[in-house]
Amino acid sequence: MRRIVILSPHRPSRELLSRILAEPDLSVVAMADADEVLDSIAEDEPALVVVDARRPDEDHPLMLGLLKRRHPRQPLITLVPGRLRVFDGNEERVRDVRDGSAEGLHQLLSELQRATRDLLAQHLLRMLRPPIGEA
């Protein structure tokens, strides 16, 4: 079963993101502690990591740096004020979204769902298609 790991220090955000991203055949695990997330990724690499960095938290920059150093190809979505940073394992794209209103939150969550579906589809293709030279 494919797994998504969510990091957010705020319980309501973890609950909302877990509900928004839940799908059959997906395990969604939400955590508040950056060290716990890094340990979880080291044990069993997930299909996707989602970091909610919309509110200042001193652990986020350190955690993101460690994640990129230890798992440089780990697909990652980072929610920051006004945008989503989507890293597919090769390149990062930024999707601008309105922020601060109910409409902005709806747009952010819609973009998050779209980006998640895209990255999960890419993950499935990588699982089904062996790397060149290993067929």
Side-chain angles (χ1 to χ4, degrees):
M1 179 177 287
R2 294 179 300 161
R3 185 170 71 110
I4 296 175
V5 174
I6 297 169
L7 171 62
S8 176
H10 308 286
R11 187 178 49 79
S13 293
R14 287 192 306 273
E15 292 172 359
L16 176 63
L17 294 172
S18 294
R19 279 196 310 264
I20 292 292
L21 299 178
E23 289 186 16
D25 300 326
L26 265 183
S27 169
V28 178
V29 181
M31 301 175 191
D33 183 69
D35 291 331
E36 187 179 7
V37 168
L38 290 169
D39 290 344
S40 173
I41 293 168
E43 283 180 27
D44 182 21
E45 193 167 305
L48 175 62
V49 175
V50 177
V51 176
D52 185 359
R54 291 175 296 153
R55 296 182 186 151
D57 186 304
E58 60 189 47
D59 286 344
H60 287 146
L62 178 61
M63 184 275 187
L64 291 169
L66 288 172
L67 176 64
K68 288 180 180 182
R69 186 177 319 127
R70 293 177 185 172
H71 307 278
R73 300 196 38 91
Q74 173 64 58
L76 171 69
I77 298 175
T78 307
L79 289 77
V80 295
R83 65 182 46 107
L84 291 178
R85 300 181 82 82
V86 180
F87 178 68
D88 66 7
N90 291 316
E91 64 180 298
E92 184 175 73
R93 290 181 296 285
V94 176
R95 297 183 183 187
D96 290 324
V97 292
R98 286 182 286 199
D99 207 7
S101 67
E103 185 178 326
L105 179 61
H106 177 73
Q107 183 184 9
L108 174 77
L109 295 175
S110 295
E111 285 297 321
L112 174 63
Q113 287 177 311
R114 186 175 302 120
T116 299
R117 282 192 300 271
D118 292 348
L119 292 176
L120 290 175
Q122 290 175 17
H123 179 262
L124 188 58
L125 285 174
R126 281 193 305 273
M127 290 174 35
L128 296 174
R129 185 176 23 180
I132 295 173
E134 293 184 23

